[in-house]
């Protein structure tokens, strides 16, 4: 008996309904591709040129700003930090201008892959852009720093708040003064620098005879700032801020706007309308992320369709490229939407609850640390092994890692869309400590964004009942024939499979 073919079941008169299935990116593959990109890093990089923000940045406070940093070949710099009244950077309030010099020391001893540097400030000025800013800044100057000029501050006038004689010049009495701390300003971010050069190959170049076009993107990282404003002048950075990009970066419209601005004509970005996005789904890191004190990790979060459950995978590494794993954390919990954020327009106040936790060591050093702990607050003592996962929910978390269960945190979330990609911003964790258990400890800035992705699935074309009935009429099948019976059996089997698949898709 010959093999029954699909044409036997469908009939020669049936014209199959085909369509090209939509390609769905796998979350793991997306992250793997990003981590495997070749990145050039130099311990003593050439940072000469103009570097700018690529979007309106949000600092703890919150503070909304655009940055323009100019570095010369003679190791001098000039920094322009434009502060705004809104999250879209459309309403400039004032600009801070800082000039000085810098010197590279060597590879960072606190943050692997970074470069430590010294900097010397020569002068810092402020130019207010409106009457409200000039009034507030002028009052601060008069009440906190009597050494400053007591004349009233006026808009679009330059006012000095720091003036220090350069080390190469002879000191003059009455020349030096420093009132930066009263304005909560610090430039300690210049103590930690990292430059990355990325080469992206043009995927559209399919003709092998033509050399593919390569896009080069240069990013310049500076040290992070303390989440508590009053602590910034004492904090030495061990993590990074959002990177600046070179002024000539292809496709970066904001970079061009900021680069072409000046201290008397600040950039005004276009107001953006927040898109209507859904938190449900899978979200993954867009790069190897750096945390204070030299931690490197990738994150993957899933918010389930029930509107209250979430789960996360946090993979930690010992290197800034996220290629040498140390341990992984799997977490599950609940989330509750409270209100729209009163601090950052477009953001949402959430309460995240951590209820279950699993830990998987990935290297010998982590295993040694986990087994060194003598207590009973981190899994089964002395039993940790590489690659073996332990559920530490029953021990109320893991004291070794400083995680307690159950745990509730007051978080800040924001959904956005850039370059056709859906982004999830989650509140920046405190620089020191891990306490977010009260509303007044809710973050006022964000971590690196997560990108929405989809699990790899196989999309099936479901044939409608009308088409099915029209193509599989019983009267069209031969009677009293083996092939006819085979067709009827296969038709019934096909109906059952379709009904099962439809039910499964509804459940998923």
């Amino acid at each position: 008996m010959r093999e029954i073919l699909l044409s036997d079941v469908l009939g020669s008169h049936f014209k199959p309904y085909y369509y090209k299935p939509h390609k769905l990116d796998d979350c793991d593959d997306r992250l793997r591709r990003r981590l495997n990109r070749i990145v050039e890093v130099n311990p003593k990089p050439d940072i000469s040129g103009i570097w700018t923000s690529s979007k309106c940045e949000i600092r703890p406070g919150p503070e909304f700003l655009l940055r323009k940093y100019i570095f010369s070949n003679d190791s001098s710099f000039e920094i322009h930090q434009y502060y705004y009244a809104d999250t879209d950077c459309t309403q400039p309030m004032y600009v801070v201008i800082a000039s000085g010099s810098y010197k590279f020391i060597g590879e960072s001893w606190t943050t692997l892959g970074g470069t430590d540097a010294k900097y010397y400030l020569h002068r810092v000025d402020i130019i207010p852009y409106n009457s409200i800013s000039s009034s507030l800044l002028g009052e601060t100057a008069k009440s906190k720093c009597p050494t400053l000029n007591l004349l009233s501050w006026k808009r679009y006038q330059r006012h000095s708040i720091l003036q220090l004689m350069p080390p190469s010049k002879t000191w003059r009495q009455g020349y030096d003064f420093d009132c930066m701390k009263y304005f909560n300003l610090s430039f300690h971010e210049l103590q930690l620098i990292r430059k990355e050069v990325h080469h992206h190959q043009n995927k559209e170049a399919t003709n092998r005879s033509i050399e593919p076009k390569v896009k080069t993107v240069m990013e310049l990282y500076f040290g992070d700032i303390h989440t508590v404003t009053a602590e910034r002048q004492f904090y030495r950075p061990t993590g990074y801020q959002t990177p600046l990009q070179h002024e000539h970066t292809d496709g970066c419209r904001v970079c061009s706007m900021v680069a072409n601005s000046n201290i008397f004509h600040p950039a005004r970005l276009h107001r953006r309308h927040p898109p209507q996005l859904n938190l449900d789904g899978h979200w993954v890191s867009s790069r190897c992320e750096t945390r204070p004190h030299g931690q490197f990790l990738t994150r993957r979060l899933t918010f389930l369709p029930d509107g209250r459950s979430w789960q996360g995978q946090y993979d930690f590494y010992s290197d800034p490229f996220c290629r040498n794993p140390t341990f992984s954390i799997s977490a599950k919990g609940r989330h509750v939407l409270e209100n729209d954020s009163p601090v950052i327009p477009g953001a949402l106040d959430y309460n995240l609850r951590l209820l279950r936790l699993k830990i998987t060591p990935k290297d010998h050093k982590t295993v040694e640390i986990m087994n060194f702990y003598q207590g009973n607050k981190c899994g089964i003592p002395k039993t940790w092994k590489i690659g073996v996962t332990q559920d530490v929910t029953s021990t109320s978390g893991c004291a070794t890692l400083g995680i307690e269960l159950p745990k509730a945190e007051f978080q800040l979330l924001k959904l956005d869309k850039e370059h056709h990609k859906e982004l999830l911003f989650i509140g920046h964790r405190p620089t020191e400590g891990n306490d977010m258990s009260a509303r007044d400890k809710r973050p006022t800035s964000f971590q690196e964004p997560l990108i929405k992705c989809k699990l790899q699935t196989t999309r099936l074309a479901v044939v409608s009942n009308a088409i099915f009935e029209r193509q599989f009429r019983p009267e069209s099948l031969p009677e009293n024939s083996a092939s006819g019976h085979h067709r009827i059996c296969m038709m019934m089997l096909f109906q059952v499979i379709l009904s099962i698949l439809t039910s499964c898709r509804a459940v998923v």
Side-chain angles (χ1 to χ4, degrees):
M1 180 177 174
R2 73 178 181 86
E3 181 182 2
I4 300 176
L5 303 177
L6 185 63
S7 58
D8 295 329
V9 180
L10 301 180
S12 59
H13 61 284
F14 178 77
K15 295 182 179 180
Y17 173 66
Y18 293 113
Y19 72 99
K20 185 178 181 179
H22 180 63
K23 183 179 179 180
L24 301 180
D25 288 332
D26 177 76
C27 297
D28 291 333
D29 287 344
R30 177 189 287 268
L31 180 59
R32 192 179 300 113
R33 289 196 302 270
R34 290 180 175 270
L35 296 182
N36 288 337
R37 288 177 177 172
I38 298 176
V39 181
E40 296 179 15
V41 179
N42 192 320
K44 289 190 176 181
D46 178 13
I47 62 173
S48 59
I50 300 178
W51 304 83
T52 71
S53 301
S54 59
K55 61 183 177 182
C56 188
E57 301 178 15
I58 302 178
R59 280 185 169 182
E63 296 173 343
F64 314 115
L65 77 158
L66 293 171
R67 294 182 289 160
K68 177 181 178 181
Y69 290 10
I70 307 169
F71 293 90
S72 302
N73 292 324
D74 60 356
S75 297
S76 63
F77 66 80
E78 183 167 301
I79 288 176
H80 300 172
Q81 292 184 348
Y82 300 92
Y83 290 82
Y84 293 79
D86 62 309
T87 57
D88 293 325
C89 289
T90 64
Q91 305 172 42
M93 298 191 302
Y94 60 92
V95 61
V96 177
I97 309 109
S99 60
S101 59
Y102 69 96
K103 178 182 179 181
F104 288 126
I105 300 175
E107 295 185 32
S108 174
W109 58 275
T110 58
T111 306
L112 187 64
T115 300
D116 287 336
K118 287 183 179 180
Y119 74 98
Y120 307 92
L121 288 176
H122 303 161
R123 182 170 176 170
V124 178
D125 300 334
I126 297 180
I127 299 177
Y129 292 132
N130 54 47
S131 57
I132 296 177
S133 297
S134 59
S135 176
L136 293 175
L137 293 169
E139 287 298 323
T140 301
K142 290 179 182 179
S143 60
K144 301 288 186 179
C145 199
T147 58
L148 297 181
N149 191 342
L150 295 181
L151 295 176
S152 62
W153 284 37
K154 296 182 179 179
R155 53 195 295 265
Y156 287 96
Q157 286 189 359
R158 193 164 182 160
H159 304 273
S160 295
I161 61 172
L162 177 143
Q163 189 168 280
L164 300 175
M165 182 68 68
S168 60
K169 296 185 178 181
T170 305
W171 179 80
R172 297 199 310 266
Q173 187 176 3
Y175 183 90
D176 293 354
F177 60 88
D178 181 3
C179 294
M180 278 210 318
K181 63 181 180 180
Y182 302 115
F183 295 87
N184 292 320
L185 291 174
S186 173
F187 295 95
H188 290 341
E189 61 189 272
L190 298 175
Q191 294 177 326
L192 181 63
I193 299 175
R194 175 182 171 89
K195 178 184 175 182
E196 292 186 357
V197 181
H198 302 259
H199 300 286
H200 305 294
Q201 183 173 315
N202 186 5
K203 297 181 179 180
E204 296 179 358
T206 57
N207 190 344
R208 295 185 179 180
S209 62
I210 302 177
E211 186 176 351
K213 202 173 186 181
V214 177
K215 177 182 178 182
T216 300
V217 176
M218 294 186 290
E219 296 180 329
L220 190 58
Y221 292 80
F222 291 95
D224 62 327
I225 62 174
H226 204 286
T227 51
V228 178
T229 306
E231 297 294 329
R232 291 180 185 175
Q233 58 183 315
F234 309 109
Y235 175 66
R236 184 181 182 90
T238 57
Y240 298 109
Q241 300 179 64
T242 302
L244 301 180
Q245 295 194 359
H246 196 271
E247 62 169 327
H248 296 308
T249 301
D250 290 339
C252 183
R253 182 178 57 85
V254 174
C255 299
S256 299
M257 294 178 66
V258 178
N260 293 325
S261 65
N262 61 61
I263 56 177
F264 294 104
H265 296 88
R268 297 173 183 264
L269 304 187
H270 300 293
R271 186 173 298 280
R272 302 173 66 249
H273 299 286
Q276 298 296 323
L277 302 176
N278 189 0
L279 181 62
D280 296 350
H282 308 277
W283 306 84
V284 69
S285 294
S286 59
R287 67 177 79 221
C288 182
E289 302 176 13
T290 304
R291 291 290 182 274
H293 311 296
Q295 296 185 72
F296 310 99
L297 79 153
T298 60
R299 296 173 291 155
R300 177 172 172 176
L301 299 182
T302 300
F303 291 87
L304 304 181
D306 62 4
R308 60 181 182 177
S309 303
W310 70 274
Q311 56 191 32
Q313 177 77 15
Y314 303 84
D315 296 318
F316 288 82
Y317 300 83
S318 62
D319 66 294
F321 300 105
C322 287
R323 293 171 185 170
N324 300 312
T326 54
F327 66 94
S328 296
I329 294 177
S330 298
K332 291 185 179 180
R334 298 292 179 90
H335 63 88
V336 177
L337 173 61
E338 295 184 347
N339 298 295
D340 293 340
S341 172
V343 178
I344 300 180
L348 301 169
D349 287 346
Y350 267 86
N351 186 297
L352 296 185
R353 300 170 186 173
L354 178 60
L355 304 177
R356 296 190 62 183
L357 189 70
K358 294 180 180 180
I359 302 173
T360 307
K362 298 293 184 68
D363 68 345
H364 291 285
K365 185 177 180 180
T366 302
V367 170
E368 291 178 0
I369 295 174
M370 302 294 282
N371 285 329
F372 182 79
Y373 175 68
Q374 301 291 335
N376 58 355
K377 291 292 186 180
C378 189
I380 304 174
K382 306 293 184 179
T383 62
W384 292 96
K385 297 179 181 179
I386 294 178
V388 178
T389 302
Q390 283 201 39
D391 192 327
V392 297
T393 305
S394 60
T395 58
S396 300
C398 181
T400 308
L401 300 180
I403 304 176
E404 296 181 1
L405 292 181
K407 183 177 184 180
E409 292 186 342
F410 290 88
Q411 257 293 3
L412 182 71
L413 273 64
K414 183 179 180 180
L415 295 167
D416 205 345
K417 194 170 187 177
E418 294 179 4
H419 305 295
H420 308 291
K421 295 178 181 178
E422 296 184 33
L423 304 178
L424 171 61
F425 293 85
I426 299 179
H428 201 295
R429 306 198 67 82
T431 302
E432 297 178 359
N434 203 29
D435 187 9
M436 299 167 59
S437 59
R439 284 185 170 83
D440 60 349
K441 297 180 179 179
R442 194 187 301 273
T444 56
S445 61
F446 298 102
Q447 305 175 44
E448 288 279 344
L450 301 176
I451 300 178
K452 194 166 193 176
C453 58
K454 297 181 180 179
L455 294 177
Q456 188 72 34
T457 60
T458 302
R459 178 168 290 185
L460 298 175
V462 179
V463 184
S464 68
N465 290 334
I467 297 177
F468 185 86
E469 292 173 357
R470 184 170 63 253
Q471 300 292 348
F472 297 99
R473 291 192 300 270
E475 59 267 25
S476 65
L477 297 175
E479 297 182 2
N480 300 325
S481 66
S483 61
H485 291 300
H486 284 307
R487 291 186 186 182
I488 294 175
C489 292
M490 292 299 293
M491 180 183 69
M492 295 174 62
L493 178 61
F494 192 65
Q495 280 183 314
V496 173
I497 293 174
L498 279 178
S499 63
I500 294 175
L501 289 175
T502 304
S503 301
C504 291
R505 287 186 54 162
V507 173
V508 174

